Amino acid sequence: MPTHCIPFRDTNYFSPLICDYLDEKSALKPFYNRFPKTDNFQDQIAEKKASFSKASRMVLVASLNEQYKNAKISPQTRKNIDALQNENTFTVTTGHQLNIFTGPLYFFYKIISTINLCEELKAANPKHHFVPIYWMATEDHDFEEINYFNFDGKKVPWNRKASGPVGELDLEGFKSVFEMFSKQLPKSKNSDKLIELFQNSYIANTNLTEATRYLVNDLFAEFGLVILDGNDKNLKKEFIPYIKEELINQSSFENVSKTNEKLNSLSENYKIQVNPREINLFYIKSGLRERIVEIDGVFQVLETEISWNKKQLLEEVENHPERFSPNVILRPLFQEVVLPNLCYIGGGGELAYWFQLKSNFEAQKIPFPMLLLRNSVLLTTTKQQEKLEKLGIENKDLFLKQSDLLTKVTKDISKIKIDFSEQKEHLKKQFEDLYQLAEQTDKSFKGAVSAQETKQINGLEHLEKRLLKAQKRKQSDILQRVKILQDELFPNQSLQERQTNFSSFYLEFGDQLIQQLMVNLQPLKNEFIILNLE
């Protein structure tokens, strides 16, 4: 299973902000706590240990035991949950939406990065224990983002009406999804396993939270992954002081807004991912998740008749903290309040909004976790690698825009040199003499020389483009093979990991898929991996 790695910056798929972070640019240091290197974890451990109480550990373990009471729990996961009672146990966390059948491949890369980092930390810190956490985003309500997965170039959709937190959705309509998916599968042992996994997850459970827990637990329980649902009354009780702070003082709006201004001032290429609201909380009940707003001292739930005065609102928080749901600004704070967490692992977009939050953590006196970009992977097969070799394409070339890739291949295989750089330089030197002559006459002649130079340079560039176009026609058969191959590896001209579902590879490689990813993903390496599956 040979692997190749290239820097994230060289892929051209990652933002300047993330690339600068990986390069540890000094201007970004105020926006994170410690850079994720093995040696830096000792200080992070000490900081978190001092702030996370024994009582909070007991609440966390009790909540996890309750959440797992109807789930089959592996010895490895049982050991990790029990270990969380110990003051020398810490977590590494990733989070993700409840995508149908895991959604795109990067779901796997998030979780495996988290598991493997825990293994690395244990090897470097044998006196401590590290638990990988998958935080299920059960309180999200963006149903359109999760209600399908891609298989064989087509969407497999879950069509239904939805409102409220997605985790509470019943599984109405999944039989038709199952029938649609299973019809597309060939007959094989691996397809039988996929069908069984889908049935046991989505047909045998009652809501999307239970289905996702079953699915992820079945895939990763042997590695000790602990699955946590933050939509939990006892965990929300731990967050009550911060809910009240948000409702009454609305400090996160000011803190995050100031940070956004600072990030904007650093570079116009640093895009702000999220903008805070005055109140960054939703109110949730069955089928309802709507924003809370304050208007003239009255707190209201949008699109409803629910409202409170300040006293009534604080009583509601005390009595029903589970009804208050943090948005993207506050969810990270909630996570760090209820977990003995050291590091959050996420994609580029996620880390970008975490950079906006550090000042709010400092104001709330909660340690800010280390931020690690998850592993990114391009999976190839031996057959595809053989085609690349025959076509003379290097792995890094695959990340070019398709038009640039086809141009590069044309120039590489053409017997004619399709580059007029030498001719352009020769022409410029000739015009240098004319410019010297023009200096001895009037300005109008100098302008005429300049216009003529531009005309002739443009003429050469036009001829160069025509020659390239002619050579592309001549090499059309080869270029078509290049196009087909890149389209296979970069569906919709996007990263494979953002489009393709794991089932496409599981059909061919079965359990070897996860095993090879476990062996090859190195979370602290900070490079894009091209992994050839065998």
Side-chain angles (χ1 to χ4, degrees):
M1 60 186 95
T3 62
H4 304 272
C5 296
I6 62 174
F8 281 105
R9 189 182 292 276
D10 290 354
T11 69
N12 296 312
Y13 277 95
F14 292 82
S15 70
L17 175 62
I18 293 302
C19 293
D20 288 351
Y21 173 61
L22 296 178
D23 290 341
E24 298 183 68
K25 292 287 179 69
S26 58
L28 285 173
K29 288 187 177 178
F31 301 94
Y32 63 92
N33 196 359
R34 298 176 180 90
F35 193 78
K37 295 178 179 177
T38 305
D39 293 344
N40 289 343
F41 275 92
Q42 281 291 348
D43 289 338
Q44 192 74 24
I45 288 170
E47 184 180 10
K48 192 66 184 185
K49 187 174 185 178
S51 72
F52 200 76
S53 69
K54 181 74 172 176
S56 292
R57 288 182 178 276
M58 294 302 103
V59 171
L60 174 62
V61 171
S63 290
L64 284 168
N65 283 330
E66 179 66 20
Q67 291 178 21
Y68 269 90
K69 68 180 181 181
N70 295 321
K72 183 180 178 182
I73 188 167
S74 69
Q76 298 91 330
T77 297
R78 176 77 272 164
K79 177 183 176 182
N80 277 343
I81 292 175
D82 291 343
L84 285 166
Q85 299 174 81
N86 189 297
E87 65 173 5
N88 288 323
T89 298
F90 300 90
T91 62
V92 174
T93 302
T94 193
H96 199 66
Q97 297 170 301
L98 307 190
N99 288 76
I100 306 309
F101 214 42
T102 75
L105 271 166
Y106 68 77
F107 176 84
F108 277 69
Y109 307 156
K110 277 185 165 184
I111 288 179
I112 293 172
S113 296
T114 303
I115 294 168
N116 283 356
L117 180 58
C118 287
E119 292 294 321
E120 287 190 40
L121 292 176
K122 181 65 176 177
N125 304 273
K127 293 181 180 180
H128 295 90
H129 192 69
F130 304 92
V131 176
I133 299 284
Y134 161 51
W135 182 291
M136 290 193 293
T138 58
E139 295 176 64
D140 278 4
H141 65 297
D142 295 321
F143 182 66
E144 291 75 17
E145 293 184 8
I146 68 164
N147 70 337
Y148 69 94
F149 65 96
N150 295 318
F151 179 76
D152 198 23
K154 301 174 185 175
K155 280 188 177 183
V156 181
W158 179 27
N159 295 316
R160 59 160 294 169
K161 291 183 178 180
S163 62
V166 294
E168 296 177 1
L169 292 174
D170 64 44
L171 300 175
E172 173 195 346
F174 253 105
K175 286 186 179 178
S176 61
V177 181
F178 168 70
E179 290 169 1
M180 184 189 309
F181 177 48
S182 57
K183 284 178 182 176
Q184 297 181 58
L185 296 175
K187 297 293 182 184
S188 70
K189 287 184 179 180
N190 289 337
S191 65
D192 289 344
K193 285 186 178 181
L194 286 174
I195 288 171
E196 182 182 11
L197 179 60
F198 197 100
Q199 282 181 312
N200 290 341
S201 301
Y202 296 102
I203 307 301
N205 285 291
T206 58
N207 63 38
L208 193 54
T209 294
E210 292 176 4
T212 304
R213 182 184 287 112
Y214 182 93
L215 175 65
V216 179
N217 190 53
D218 190 90
L219 291 167
F220 295 106
E222 68 177 288
F223 306 107
L225 182 70
V226 174
I227 302 163
L228 179 62
D229 179 4
N231 193 10
D232 180 292
K233 184 170 183 177
N234 290 323
L235 294 178
K236 291 282 181 74
K237 283 181 180 178
E238 296 283 287
F239 200 53
I240 284 176
Y242 306 92
I243 296 174
K244 290 181 176 179
E245 166 70 20
E246 179 66 15
L247 291 168
I248 304 307
N249 296 322
Q250 301 172 16
S251 55
S252 63
F253 176 75
E254 181 179 357
N255 293 330
V256 177
S257 294
K258 287 180 179 177
T259 300
N260 288 357
E261 290 175 9
K262 291 176 182 177
L263 271 171
N264 272 328
S265 69
L266 288 182
S267 171
E268 61 182 14
N269 294 320
Y270 291 172
K271 306 300 181 186
I272 297 301
Q273 293 290 308
V274 291
N275 288 296
R277 299 185 184 277
E278 284 79 2
I279 295 177
N280 294 283
L281 290 164
F282 291 89
Y283 189 72
I284 57 176
K285 278 188 174 181
S286 180
L288 171 70
R289 186 177 190 251
E290 290 289 348
R291 285 174 48 211
I292 301 170
V293 297
E294 182 187 5
I295 302 173
D296 297 329
V298 176
F299 296 86
Q300 300 178 350
V301 179
L302 289 178
E303 308 299 330
T304 75
E305 295 182 359
I306 301 170
S307 65
W308 311 269
N309 61 32
K310 179 178 175 181
K311 182 174 181 295
Q312 292 169 331
L313 178 63
L314 295 178
E315 288 175 354
E316 181 76 357
V317 173
E318 283 289 341
N319 296 330
H320 298 287
E322 73 279 6
R323 295 178 182 174
F324 294 83
S325 176
N327 74 356
V328 67
I329 296 291
L330 281 191
R331 190 211 61 77
L333 184 69
F334 176 38
Q335 170 191 297
E336 297 302 312
V337 165
V338 301
L339 288 175
N341 198 49
L342 303 176
C343 178
Y344 183 77
I345 296 180
E350 288 177 281
L351 263 56
Y353 73 69
W354 274 86
F355 292 137
Q356 300 172 227
L357 306 179
K358 182 168 177 276
S359 63
N360 195 48
F361 273 75
E362 291 170 342
Q364 308 301 334
K365 297 181 171 54
I366 297 296
F368 196 62
M370 297 165 84
L371 302 176
L372 179 62
L373 183 65
R374 65 168 172 81
N375 283 122
S376 279
V377 186
L378 172 64
L379 298 176
T380 65
T381 64
T382 299
K383 189 178 292 185
Q384 287 169 333
Q385 284 291 341
E386 288 172 353
K387 289 180 182 178
L388 288 172
E389 199 170 319
K390 285 180 181 177
L391 292 166
I393 299 174
E394 297 182 29
N395 283 298
K396 64 179 182 180
D397 295 338
L398 288 167
F399 292 84
L400 294 169
K401 290 181 180 178
Q402 191 160 92
S403 58
D404 294 336
L405 175 61
L406 297 179
T407 295
K408 184 179 187 302
V409 171
T410 302
K411 289 182 176 181
D412 288 346
I413 63 177
S414 178
K415 295 178 181 178
I416 302 171
K417 188 176 181 182
I418 314 173
D419 184 353
F420 287 4
S421 298
E422 290 182 13
Q423 288 86 344
K424 291 175 192 173
E425 283 302 313
H426 181 67
L427 189 63
K428 286 178 181 178
K429 286 178 181 177
Q430 289 182 318
F431 272 91
E432 284 176 9
D433 294 336
L434 289 174
Y435 278 117
Q436 289 178 10
L437 181 62
E439 290 293 337
Q440 301 172 34
T441 61
D442 59 36
K443 291 182 179 180
S444 64
F445 184 66
K446 187 176 180 181
V449 171
S450 177
Q452 188 64 28
E453 180 186 26
T454 300
K455 181 180 178 181
Q456 294 199 31
I457 292 291
N458 287 342
L460 281 175
E461 289 177 348
H462 178 68
L463 288 173
E464 187 177 22
K465 288 176 182 177
R466 287 192 63 178
L467 178 58
L468 175 62
K469 192 173 181 179
Q471 287 300 102
K472 282 184 175 180
R473 284 197 300 269
K474 189 174 181 180
Q475 308 293 348
S476 60
D477 288 346
I478 293 175
L479 295 181
Q480 182 62 17
R481 282 152 48 198
V482 172
K483 182 179 182 301
I484 290 171
L485 185 55
Q486 193 192 41
D487 286 343
E488 286 177 7
L489 295 170
F490 289 75
N492 299 319
Q493 289 297 288
S494 177
L495 288 177
Q496 177 195 75
E497 64 183 33
R498 297 176 186 171
Q499 299 285 323
T500 306
N501 182 262
F502 85 99
S503 55
S504 297
F505 289 95
Y506 193 91
L507 282 173
E508 183 173 354
F509 299 100
D511 293 337
Q512 282 292 315
L513 172 65
I514 294 179
Q515 292 169 15
Q516 291 196 39
L517 289 170
M518 292 294 300
V519 168
N520 286 282
L521 268 59
Q522 300 176 53
L524 296 178
K525 193 170 182 180
N526 287 329
E527 287 189 309
F528 197 108
I529 301 166
I530 297 99
L531 173 61
N532 182 37
L533 297 171
E534 296 179 332

